[in-house]
Amino acid sequence: QVQLVESGGGLVQAGGSLRLSCAASGRTFSRVSMGWFRQAPGKEREFVAAINWSFGSTYYADSVKGRFTISRDNAKNTMYLQMNSLKPEDTAVYYCAASTLRLSALHYDYVDWGQGTQVTVSS
């Protein structure tokens, strides 16, 4: 199993920035990629970004492309999501997840999930 713990969420004004972190532990050798998802009240879970752990290849949802940057620190087993130019529409609970696939935007391709961290962007 892989344990994932998110941190860094909070309240920020529109146009501001936040950086989310996801610390991974356990049998991480079995995971190939990691990603971020978000879910707002009344909406379905939405893909945000994913990264291949070995090569650093990335993939972004159109809604965040150019504003968010996903990265990882292999030595620390930690993934990050730098969020700039935040909009009220970005308000959601953000989850990190791990997958056995190289890159995927599909939530059912992820087998490990964190508990989530709240991001609230005020207008």
Side-chain angles (χ1 to χ4, degrees):
Q1 62 176 358
V2 174
Q3 299 169 22
L4 304 173
V5 180
E6 303 99 329
S7 62
L11 175 64
V12 65
Q13 294 184 13
S17 299
L18 283 174
R19 189 179 77 156
L20 305 183
S21 299
C22 176
S25 61
R27 304 178 71 83
T28 58
F29 65 88
S30 63
R31 304 296 180 259
V32 178
S33 64
M34 295 181 67
W36 291 95
F37 290 79
R38 64 188 183 185
Q39 188 165 25
K43 296 185 178 180
E44 63 184 7
R45 183 162 35 184
E46 178 186 27
F47 169 77
V48 177
I51 186 167
N52 180 278
W53 200 254
S54 295
F55 299 104
S57 306
T58 59
Y59 181 69
Y60 296 91
D62 289 340
S63 60
V64 306
K65 192 174 300 181
R67 299 188 298 122
F68 291 9
T69 302
I70 189 171
S71 62
R72 92 295 195 201
D73 186 328
N74 290 27
K76 296 181 178 180
N77 268 346
T78 300
M79 177 179 64
Y80 305 95
L81 184 68
Q82 179 66 47
M83 305 185 294
N84 299 326
S85 302
L86 283 163
K87 306 175 181 179
E89 307 93 272
D90 296 318
T91 295
V93 177
Y94 283 70
Y95 300 91
C96 68
S99 175
T100 58
L101 304 180
R102 295 176 182 175
L103 283 175
S104 177
L106 306 174
H107 65 88
Y108 49 79
D109 283 336
Y110 291 79
V111 295
D112 305 294
W113 294 84
Q115 81 288 346
T117 185
Q118 177 70 48
V119 172
T120 302
V121 184
S122 62
S123 60

